[in-house]
Amino acid sequence: MVIRRLMPDSLESLTASLPLLDVGEALLLGDAIILPTRIKLDKPKIRPASATLDFWTEWSTRPVNAEDLKRAVESMRTQSRV
């Protein structure tokens, strides 16, 4: 949502592609760029201390806490669309 507000209205359709970007990909646009361009960045030589978790691996190796699961389901049930 923040990125959408920073982009000109003429490029609004590009915001739909942002969730499709993979880790290490970026969308270049601006006054110096003729056409918006999707690029793949090289991996850094020194890895940052933070990283995106591989949630499938994390979820499959951790035991399920029944109380946490119950709270999550109840929270989803009580949500409504605005």
Side-chain angles (χ1 to χ4, degrees), residues 42-57:
D42 292 333
K43 289 187 178 183
K45 292 181 177 141
I46 300 172
R47 288 188 60 118
S50 63
T52 302
L53 291 176
D54 181 358
F55 62 89
W56 293 113
T57 302

Side-chain angles (χ1 to χ4, degrees), residues 6-22:
L6 295 173
M7 294 175 65
D9 291 339
S10 61
L11 299 176
E12 185 177 347
S13 63
L14 285 176
T15 59
S17 68
L18 293 177
L20 303 175
L21 294 177
D22 199 3

Side-chain angles (χ1 to χ4, degrees), residues 17-49:
S17 68
L18 293 177
L20 303 175
L21 294 177
D22 199 3
V23 174
E25 288 186 328
L27 187 62
L28 293 181
L29 54 100
D31 294 337
I33 308 293
I34 295 172
L35 292 172
T37 306
R38 185 176 176 176
I39 64 166
K40 179 79 173 176
L41 301 169
D42 292 333
K43 289 187 178 183
K45 292 181 177 141
I46 300 172
R47 288 188 60 118

Side-chain angles (χ1 to χ4, degrees), residues 62-80:
R62 293 185 183 188
V64 176
N65 181 319
E67 194 57 39
D68 288 343
L69 182 60
K70 181 179 175 182
R71 280 197 307 269
V73 170
E74 288 303 316
S75 176
M76 289 174 63
R77 287 181 177 159
T78 60
Q79 290 179 10
S80 63

